[in-house]
Amino acid sequence: MSYPQSYEILLVPGFTDATTTGPAEPTERPEATERTDDAESPDSVAAIRSAVVEATGETGASGYPRYAGEGMVADIDPVTRTVEALLIDGAELDYGLSVRVSERKNRG
């Protein structure tokens, strides 16, 4: 089975429900939930940080392929695009933050 060679990971504030235009929980930054006109954005929430991660060829402790780049290391399930494990600058994700992932399109 062929897996994507890269993904874009977006670090976003709080938990959001992709089926609504607002956050599922109250947020201190309501401007972060505004919709954008960017059709390629995998989510309507403004990212605090993003990174393009490339396949390392390794399998992570979670059993899924490992991707790394720009200070992020992630184990991503390529079938569901679920981030199963994530380190940001060597640390675990802080409470109140969430991630979104999209397959990176070739820019050529």
Side-chain angles (χ1 to χ4, degrees):
M1 173 179 265
S2 176
Y3 297 126
Q5 291 301 301
S6 64
Y7 288 100
E8 182 173 19
I9 296 177
L10 303 174
L11 181 63
V12 297
F15 173 81
T16 59
D17 182 351
T19 62
T20 64
T21 59
E25 298 175 355
T27 181
E28 293 178 10
R29 295 185 53 221
E31 71 277 5
T33 61
E34 293 178 4
R35 288 204 175 273
T36 64
D37 293 330
D38 184 4
E40 291 185 349
S41 176
D43 199 70
S44 62
V45 177
I48 295 171
R49 181 172 169 179
S50 67
V52 174
V53 293
E54 305 281 335
T56 65
E58 299 173 354
T59 300
S62 66
Y64 293 101
R66 176 151 295 163
Y67 294 80
E70 300 180 31
M72 293 190 193
V73 177
D75 296 356
I76 301 174
D77 178 346
V79 175
T80 64
R81 294 189 319 189
T82 301
V83 177
E84 298 293 340
L86 178 68
L87 293 177
I88 301 172
D89 298 329
E92 293 181 0
L93 193 64
D94 289 336
Y95 288 106
L97 297 176
S98 184
V99 295
R100 301 288 181 263
V101 64
S102 66
E103 190 172 333
R104 181 84 169 157
K105 295 179 178 45
N106 291 336
R107 310 277 186 209

